[in-house]
Amino acid sequence: MNTPIPNSSNKLTQIKIWVYTSSVIILIFGMMLSWSAVRAKDTVMRAESLQQAHIVSRTIKAQWIKELSGTEADLGTALYERLKYQMSLSRETNTHWEWLYVMGRNANGEIFFYVDSEPDSDEDASPAGQIYDEATKELIAIFDTGEAIVEGPVSDSWGLWISPLIPITDPLSNEVIGVFGIDITADTWRKIVWRAAIFPAANTLLLLILLFSGYHLITCLLYTSP
């Protein structure tokens, strides 16, 4: 049976305390770094998604929105189909985009769909004139403030989303006549964001492995064979 080198018990106890204290500190610090990386990635993604939405929104002319009635009468018209086809093509440029759409606000203050990227035959499509009664205060406020935002995560009947929202402004009156939006599922968003935690988490794990490996080595050295 192995026996410790004389006077090594106190040293071993001190080392054990130091190792476990250090491991707690490393773990807490690693968690903080991981969370910081996730937050930073989320911020970057929001800025990038807003910029991308701005680019796509520029392909939708305000005059086209003004020519739509925002009712079922738009269904099947050349302009409506053109916008629907154009948005469906835009969606194919980014695999993370789930829905693209343009919303309006009627005289009663209700938010409705002008057009979306889904085929009208799809059960999840939002045809022209459909009222969106789950609009958030932030979405409604865009019609008054004219400020682009990234909203979410916000849930509705279709799912849980994070959405860059861009105002479409009449160049003559400077009035917001529509809001262009892109929906990204919260699950997709989280998967991308949490990948940022992999590097600091892996480094934390490596440090813990090295720490306990060193502790094991020191323990072995402090014991002698019979």
Side-chain angles (χ1 to χ4, degrees):
M1 181 176 181
N2 291 344
T3 57
I5 295 174
N7 301 322
S8 65
S9 296
N10 289 338
K11 290 183 180 180
L12 188 60
T13 300
Q14 292 173 1
I15 292 172
K16 183 183 293 186
I17 293 173
W18 181 85
V19 166
Y20 281 98
T21 301
S22 298
S23 65
V24 171
I25 293 173
I26 291 172
L27 185 60
I28 293 173
F29 188 65
M31 291 173 64
M32 291 173 62
L33 282 178
S34 296
W35 179 244
S36 177
V38 168
R39 292 291 299 272
K41 182 63 174 180
D42 181 80
T43 299
V44 169
M45 281 186 62
R46 287 176 183 270
E48 289 178 346
S49 66
L50 198 63
Q51 182 181 32
Q52 292 166 352
H54 266 297
I55 293 173
V56 178
S57 71
R58 294 193 188 105
T59 67
I60 302 173
K61 296 182 180 179
Q63 184 59 37
W64 296 346
I65 303 303
K66 292 173 67 175
E67 291 176 11
L68 294 173
S69 66
T71 67
E72 291 182 356
D74 292 331
L75 297 175
T77 63
L79 179 56
Y80 176 82
E81 294 298 332
R82 175 181 180 178
L83 282 168
K84 183 175 282 289
Y85 178 68
Q86 182 172 307
M87 284 195 289
S88 68
L89 289 180
S90 296
R91 184 179 61 178
E92 293 177 2
T93 64
N94 192 315
T95 57
H96 300 144
W97 295 350
E98 193 73 21
W99 313 102
L100 281 72
Y101 48 84
V102 177
M103 291 180 170
R105 182 170 66 174
N106 62 26
N108 296 324
E110 297 172 310
I111 305 300
F112 65 90
F113 286 93
Y114 273 115
V115 61
D116 72 0
S117 58
E118 300 305 298
D120 287 329
S121 58
D122 193 309
E123 62 179 8
D124 290 326
S126 299
Q130 177 178 308
I131 300 298
Y132 182 59
D133 55 13
E134 298 177 86
T136 62
K137 293 179 180 179
E138 291 76 15
L139 169 56
I140 296 172
I142 297 175
F143 287 92
D144 299 315
T145 65
E147 295 182 3
I149 65 170
V150 178
E151 182 182 56
V154 170
S155 62
D156 61 15
S157 299
W158 288 272
L160 185 63
W161 313 99
I162 294 175
S163 311
L165 302 169
I166 311 295
I168 298 175
T169 306
D170 184 345
L172 298 179
S173 65
N174 207 35
E175 175 188 3
V176 177
I177 57 176
V179 171
F180 170 71
I182 299 174
D183 284 347
I184 304 166
T185 66
D187 283 344
T188 297
W189 189 277
R190 290 192 190 105
K191 287 177 183 177
I192 299 172
V193 166
W194 279 99
R195 287 174 191 161
I198 293 176
F199 183 72
N203 281 341
T204 299
L205 180 60
L206 178 60
L207 284 174
L208 290 173
I209 291 173
L210 291 174
L211 180 64
F212 282 97
S213 296
Y215 170 69
H216 178 70
L217 178 60
I218 291 172
T219 301
C220 292
L221 292 175
L222 288 174
Y223 280 77
T224 59
S225 299

